Amino acid sequence: MGKKEYKEKSQLEPKGKIIWTGSKVSLTEIMYAFHTKGVFNNGAAELKEIASYFEEIFNIDLGQYRRTFLEIRERKSDRTKF
């Protein structure tokens, strides 16, 4: 019997490709929420790392996500729509 490497459920690779079909602004809102809450690498992940990860897994170019976030913050009514 050979050794098998077991991973926790949260570390398993996805079986299919998931494509982001929402707006870039919505994904940017989620990205900033995760960064603010410190949910990646116990809060040590840089925003740039998170953005690169999101771009890779969702096959999307977030462009100038920092500018998008500033625009979100300047909204008068609902700061976050998503």
Side-chain angles (χ1 to χ4, degrees):
M1 239 200 265
K3 284 187 177 180
K4 287 189 177 181
E5 184 177 326
Y6 292 98
K7 293 184 177 182
E8 290 186 33
K9 249 185 183 173
S10 64
Q11 296 176 333
L12 295 175
E13 295 291 324
K15 292 186 185 342
K17 182 138 181 124
I18 294 178
I19 297 172
W20 181 263
T21 55
S23 72
K24 289 182 182 184
V25 174
S26 295
L27 188 57
T28 301
E29 286 183 14
I30 292 170
M31 181 181 72
Y32 271 94
F34 288 158
H35 180 260
T36 299
K37 286 303 230 176
V39 298
F40 294 113
N41 299 341
N42 295 315
E46 296 289 330
L47 187 58
K48 185 176 180 178
E49 293 174 288
I50 297 169
S52 293
Y53 182 73
F54 274 46
E55 288 177 325
E56 183 179 332
I57 63 169
F58 292 120
N59 194 28
I60 189 170
D61 178 11
L62 291 173
Q64 296 181 350
Y65 57 88
R66 292 180 188 273
R67 176 179 281 176
T68 302
F69 180 68
L70 290 176
E71 291 170 2
I72 291 168
R73 288 182 55 196
E74 291 175 1
R75 290 179 187 159
K76 300 231 186 264
S77 57
D78 290 328
R79 283 195 166 175
T80 57
K81 294 181 180 182
F82 189 69

